[in-house]
Amino acid sequence: MSKTVYLLLPAFLVVLGVGLIPTISLINYSVQTPFAEVEKFVGLENFRKVFVDTRVIDAFQRNIIFSALALAIEIPFGIGLALILYEKGKLNTLISMIITIPVLIPPITIGLLWRLMARENGTLRNLMNFLGLYYDPYRVPEQAFGTIVAMDVWHWTALICLVVSAGLAGMDKSPVLSAKTEGATRWQIFRHIELPALSFPLVFVSLLRLIDTLKIYDEATVLTMGGPGQTTEFLSLYVKKTAIDQFIVGYGAALSLIYNLTVLLLAWLLLIVMTKGKGVV
Amino acid sequence: MGVNIKTIIRYFLMVFVTLAFLFPVWNMISASFSSKLAVEEGRLLIPDGFLGNWERALSGSWAEGLINSLIITVTSVVFTLLISFPAAYVISRYHFMADKHIFFWFLATRMAPAAALVLPYLVIFRAVGLWDTIPGVVIAYFGFNIPLAVWLFTSFMSVIPKEIDNQAFIDGYSLWAYFRKIFIPLCMPAIGVVSFFTWFFSWSDMFFASVLTSFQAKPLNALLLVTLGRVGYGVEYGLASAAGVITIIPGLVLLYWAKTYLSKGFTFGRI
């Protein structure tokens, strides 16, 4: 044991360097006003400002609504697709391949794909106009928000479908078969046999998606840049504008820390789910 | 009745899903092969075969961006493998009092929002001369690559019986010889999966790349963001689409292979 433990050292040092040191610097900046005209120690003043900043509060609410909507659509949709595609066949394999394509596309390109469709003369806009609907996500805030939700659903439903499929594949088939012979309906089988067996993967993937939707940046930036106005400005966009573009380091650091802690809390919940009854590794 | 209504609905849904997922991608491919006028007027169902976007996307600063992206991703994969493989071996072989804490720490680093960590990276990298360099970007990516790699390797290795190690050491293998002749060949599937995900997350990132580089080390995704941000001057969608197509090619090529492992990579090998 003694010597081999040193093999752990490089990974340990790297995670220390890229994880812990930046966090400590953030804490250090957050109680000061570094790089400002007057650099001084301000205590918890920066944190107080975060909680009274209306743009932060708006962005946070927006993030919550966005996560709730995206998950509420993606999860049933993903489960439905997994159940439809459950029976093996060439056609089903092909369709599951096609819906998996977005998962392998970089987020920035997802934003580009949707912007190409939502822009002036874009296909989505033309289609909506053809159907007699007014659609302009660069003027109507609700439509901008809706388009981002649709984009997220398009991007990630396949992941939920894949996770649920993996769960279904690992399931014991005999209860389903005996329920079928006793004349249970499809819904009864799903509700009383499959859904309980899928609870672990579903809770897991929901938490994962919740964390990811809280971190949304690339797609939203490319599609709407937070606009129109600030109506699609998510937390990450505001943090980036404040801390990097305007380079207000003290306040930006306090904001980053609070943002990070929110996500960390969810990551901690994720760890509890992951290790439930299974040990760590 | 040969065909029932359920089957019809089912096929209709399948066609709809297929179109909804394929059309946006086709729209971009088509835009990359279309002239500026056709793109602006939205005539994109069939491209007009204009190649100017591709000529520009494969030369000058765009070619440099692509080369930077390739160097960054390959370097990330190599170093992530070298650092995480031995660490995962130790974790899978010995139990620590604190392994739960180590894992939480790793998970926290992996899950931390990029927007919340990029400020100290920017300040520190500028101070030590790593800003706008390829090593700087690779180091920033370690934050999410290494925790995931260690985790995936560990869950794979803990299935390999420890008796194999012991027998090899009794037979007189050194640790290095054991790794080279027995353990690494056993772990090849895991090495493939970890390489893929390290490559994928490094290739996909735009946030770190756009903040931590400016001219020298700017990868493709960061260039793409700059192009798409020029709203006042009219965005060159054709050129952006050509670059966009480049960003999706590797994923599409590996789609069939990667699909099997996708749920693993996104769930730390838990599902």
Side-chain angles (χ1 to χ4, degrees):
Chain A
M1 159 124 198
S2 55
K3 261 189 209 158
T4 39
V5 169
Y6 290 112
L7 293 174
L8 198 58
L9 209 59
F12 194 77
L13 288 177
V14 169
V15 180
L16 197 75
V18 296
L20 205 59
I21 292 175
T23 312
I24 293 168
S25 351
L26 271 182
I27 296 170
N28 182 28
Y29 302 147
S30 69
V31 292
Q32 305 173 50
T33 56
F35 304 98
E37 276 173 39
V38 189
E39 293 193 12
K40 60 170 194 257
F41 180 81
V42 292
L44 296 176
E45 174 61 17
N46 285 327
F47 289 93
R48 193 193 62 82
K49 278 198 211 154
V50 173
F51 287 104
V52 295
D53 186 339
T54 51
R55 274 178 83 173
V56 174
I57 295 160
D58 286 351
F60 188 69
Q61 284 178 342
R62 217 166 274 138
N63 258 121
I64 299 292
I65 297 171
F66 171 70
S67 302
L69 277 175
L71 263 75
I73 300 170
E74 278 165 31
I75 289 172
F77 196 27
I79 297 174
L81 274 173
L83 291 175
I84 291 177
L85 299 173
Y86 180 57
E87 290 153 43
K88 293 269 172 294
K90 274 191 182 129
L91 188 66
N92 284 358
T93 314
L94 185 70
I95 291 176
S96 68
M97 292 264 291
I98 289 170
I99 63 166
T100 312
I101 291 173
V103 181
L104 286 173
I105 297 179
I108 182 173
T109 314
I110 299 273
L112 170 62
L113 288 173
W114 281 74
R115 189 153 138 201
L116 274 173
M117 296 196 296
R119 81 204 152 106
E120 181 93 56
N121 281 328
T123 317
L124 186 60
R125 200 185 288 199
N126 287 347
L127 184 71
M128 291 290 209
N129 291 344
F130 178 74
L131 296 172
L133 302 163
Y134 176 75
Y135 175 75
D136 186 352
Y138 295 95
R139 291 234 170 75
V140 187
E142 291 78 14
Q143 293 183 349
F145 199 84
T147 312
I148 297 178
V149 174
M151 177 169 65
D152 199 76
V153 171
W154 188 81
H155 192 176
W156 292 114
T157 299
L159 181 67
I160 293 166
C161 175
L162 284 171
V163 167
V164 172
S165 302
L168 284 173
M171 235 176 78
D172 180 13
K173 307 275 182 304
S174 53
V176 176
L177 289 175
S178 56
K180 263 185 192 158
T181 50
E182 280 169 37
T185 62
R186 187 71 192 86
W187 170 253
Q188 284 173 326
I189 293 175
F190 173 70
R191 175 67 191 80
H192 297 288
I193 301 172
E194 288 169 335
L195 195 60
L198 289 172
S199 62
F200 171 75
L202 276 176
V203 170
F204 189 97
V205 79
S206 306
L207 261 174
L208 211 61
R209 288 297 306 133
L210 180 61
I211 294 173
D212 274 347
T213 48
L214 277 179
K215 298 197 294 190
I216 184 169
Y217 180 86
D218 300 16
E219 299 104 308
T221 307
V222 171
L223 186 63
T224 63
M225 297 190 174
Q230 287 153 10
T231 50
T232 54
E233 186 178 76
F234 293 102
L235 269 175
S236 56
L237 272 79
Y238 183 57
V239 173
K240 203 254 178 179
K241 276 180 198 164
T242 319
I244 306 297
D245 300 344
Q246 300 170 15
F247 206 57
I248 308 172
V249 176
Y251 181 68
L255 190 55
S256 300
L257 272 177
I258 290 172
Y259 183 30
N260 204 349
L261 274 177
T262 316
V263 175
L264 210 65
L265 196 72
L266 290 167
W268 179 67
L269 275 177
L270 187 69
L271 184 81
I272 293 176
V273 173
M274 280 168 98
T275 54
K276 201 176 145 200
K278 283 181 140 189
V280 174
V281 181
Chain B
M1 281 280 281
V3 188
N4 68 32
I5 193 93
K6 261 189 175 168
T7 322
I8 296 174
I9 294 176
R10 200 184 163 112
Y11 278 101
F12 177 76
L13 268 176
M14 283 186 166
V15 171
F16 175 77
V17 166
T18 310
L19 275 180
F21 278 86
L22 279 184
F23 181 77
V25 179
W26 168 247
N27 196 41
M28 178 175 73
I29 297 173
S30 171
S32 77
F33 286 108
S34 294
S35 60
K36 199 168 175 71
L37 190 70
V39 174
E40 270 166 17
E41 289 177 353
R43 286 184 278 110
L44 292 177
L45 270 181
I46 297 152
D48 59 15
F50 178 70
L51 291 175
N53 298 319
W54 280 94
E55 277 165 22
R56 287 177 63 196
L58 292 171
S59 61
S61 61
W62 287 94
E64 282 166 29
L66 178 58
I67 291 168
N68 284 339
S69 281
L70 292 173
I71 297 175
I72 288 170
T73 48
V74 171
T75 319
S76 289
V77 171
V78 171
F79 280 92
T80 301
L81 288 177
L82 285 177
I83 294 170
S84 57
F85 188 88
Y89 172 75
V90 179
I91 294 176
S92 74
R93 267 27 189 177
Y94 305 102
H95 284 284
F96 299 101
M97 299 267 290
D99 53 3
K100 201 165 181 171
H101 300 280
I102 292 177
F103 268 115
F104 181 61
W105 179 34
F106 274 34
L107 185 71
T109 312
R110 173 71 182 79
M111 284 297 168
L117 277 181
V118 80
L119 175 65
Y121 282 1
L122 179 66
V123 177
I124 295 170
F125 281 12
R126 275 198 173 145
V128 299
L130 277 172
W131 187 70
D132 201 14
T133 65
I134 285 174
V137 180
V138 172
I139 290 171
Y141 290 170
F142 279 163
F144 46 85
N145 282 335
I146 290 191
L148 179 70
V150 170
W151 204 307
L152 286 175
F153 272 140
T154 308
S155 58
F156 183 88
M157 289 172 186
S158 46
V159 184
I160 299 174
K162 217 179 154 177
E163 286 71 37
I164 299 182
D165 301 30
N166 295 338
Q167 192 55 48
F169 295 141
I170 291 167
D171 291 347
Y173 279 86
S174 67
L175 184 67
W176 169 237
Y178 169 65
F179 262 33
R180 203 163 46 91
K181 294 210 178 99
I182 300 169
F183 199 63
I184 292 179
L186 274 176
C187 289
M188 269 336 257
I191 292 174
V193 173
V194 170
S195 305
F196 174 76
F197 281 98
T198 308
W199 165 81
F200 178 69
F201 289 115
S202 317
W203 178 259
S204 296
D205 168 77
M206 176 275 276
F207 192 81
F208 283 117
S210 66
V211 176
L212 298 178
T213 64
S214 86
F215 181 69
Q216 295 290 332
K218 224 173 186 47
L220 197 58
N221 290 351
L223 276 173
L224 192 52
L225 179 72
V226 175
T227 306
L228 289 169
R230 287 198 184 110
V231 177
Y233 309 94
V235 176
E236 294 182 90
Y237 284 112
L239 176 62
S241 297
V245 174
I246 297 175
T247 66
I248 69 172
I249 290 172
L252 288 183
V253 170
L254 291 171
L255 177 67
Y256 184 75
W257 176 82
K259 196 180 146 278
T260 328
Y261 301 105
L262 271 179
S263 58
K264 275 207 175 346
F266 280 95
T267 61
F268 295 85
R270 285 277 132 166
I271 288 160

